């Protein structure tokens, strides 16, 4: 998997060397993990190590991958395009996920990083759609996804480990043709 570049950011394949930054800027920041379903809270170092080893494994499909987001050689977040299976009602759809450290919020970095990862996905994958799941209360992330061309197609409920409760989510879908129409090269 190769690194991706955007106007301001570098997306580098997630590797074990990124673990300390992932820990410091993501997994130990409640303002980050409260919007995610997978990480434990409080953060657990051993689980973080295991997860980074799984996510850094190369997949057979070159469109999928986990990237660390860098601004001026400093890690500020992560973005994943994962294989189908995350959505119970639509297990055939691959999904997008992302996070940013709180200091990087509100500056367009999530949109820029996701746009680069999505462009790479559609250019190198045989899939014609990409889904995303976002907490119903996460209006900032909903705006990011709408800007990228995602539209809500349903809802689901997922268990959030950090919140220790079930959370309502919007399910959004982005067809390849809509992404290219709203994000010309």
């Amino acid at each position: 998997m190769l690194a991706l570049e955007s106007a301001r950011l570098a997306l580098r394949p997630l590797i074990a060397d990124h673990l300390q930054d992932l820990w410091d800027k993501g997994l130990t920041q409640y303002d980050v993990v409260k919007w995610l379903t997978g990480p434990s809270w409080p953060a657990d170092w051993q689980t973080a190590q295991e997860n980074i080893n799984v996510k850094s494994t190369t997949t057979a499909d070159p469109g999928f991958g986990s990237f660390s987001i860098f601004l001026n050689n400093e890690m500020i977040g992560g973005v994943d395009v994962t294989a189908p299976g995350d959505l119970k009602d639509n297990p055939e759809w691959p999904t997008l996920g992302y996070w940013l450290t709180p200091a990087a919020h509100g500056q367009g970095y999530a949109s820029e990083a996701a746009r680069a990862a999505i462009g790479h996905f559609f250019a190198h994958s045989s899939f014609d759609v990409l889904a995303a799941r976002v907490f119903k209360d996460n209006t900032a992330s909903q705006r990011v996804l709408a800007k990228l061309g995602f539209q809500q197609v349903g809802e689901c409920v997922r268990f959030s480990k950090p919140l220790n409760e079930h959370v309502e989510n919007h399910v959004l879908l982005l067809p390849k043709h809509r992404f290219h129409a709203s994000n010309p090269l």
Side-chain angles (χ1 to χ4, degrees):
M1 185 170 51
L2 40 126
L4 307 175
E5 299 286 330
S6 67
R8 301 176 293 171
L9 305 172
L11 278 65
R12 299 179 188 151
L14 179 67
I15 57 172
D17 288 351
H18 298 168
L19 179 58
Q20 188 65 54
D21 280 334
L22 173 64
W23 180 262
D24 294 340
K25 298 179 181 190
L27 297 176
T28 59
Q29 301 292 317
Y30 186 71
D31 286 343
V32 172
V33 298
K34 71 179 181 182
W35 298 116
L36 307 173
T37 55
S40 56
W41 186 260
D44 173 56
W45 182 261
Q46 182 176 349
T47 302
Q49 285 179 308
E50 292 166 3
N51 287 339
I52 203 168
N53 289 335
V54 168
K55 286 187 169 211
S56 64
T57 304
T58 304
T59 65
D61 190 317
F64 296 114
S66 296
F67 297 93
S68 296
I69 304 168
F70 286 84
L71 173 68
N72 300 324
N73 287 320
E74 182 180 340
M75 186 174 161
I76 62 167
V79 61
D80 299 311
V81 179
T82 57
D86 179 59
L87 298 170
K88 181 180 175 186
D89 290 342
N90 301 97
E92 72 279 9
W93 291 345
T95 54
L96 172 76
Y98 54 87
W99 64 273
L100 289 177
T101 196
H105 289 184
Q107 299 175 60
Y109 298 137
S111 300
E112 187 174 332
R115 186 174 290 111
I118 295 166
H120 174 77
F121 168 74
F122 282 134
H124 295 93
S125 174
S126 61
F127 288 87
D128 290 330
V129 297
L130 182 62
R133 184 175 44 76
V134 60
F135 286 12
K136 200 172 187 178
D137 295 338
N138 190 345
T139 55
S141 198
Q142 290 171 31
R143 285 191 302 271
V144 168
L145 294 168
K147 187 187 312 184
L148 294 166
F150 282 87
Q151 292 181 343
Q152 186 176 343
V153 294
E155 294 188 354
C156 69
V157 175
R158 292 289 297 265
F159 184 77
S160 167
K161 288 181 187 176
L163 301 178
N164 195 32
E165 66 184 24
H166 286 88
V167 179
E168 292 181 40
N169 285 245
H170 294 300
V171 176
L172 301 101
L173 192 65
L174 177 63
K176 184 177 188 175
H177 68 84
R178 187 181 317 130
F179 174 74
H180 288 305
S182 61
N183 298 280
L185 297 176

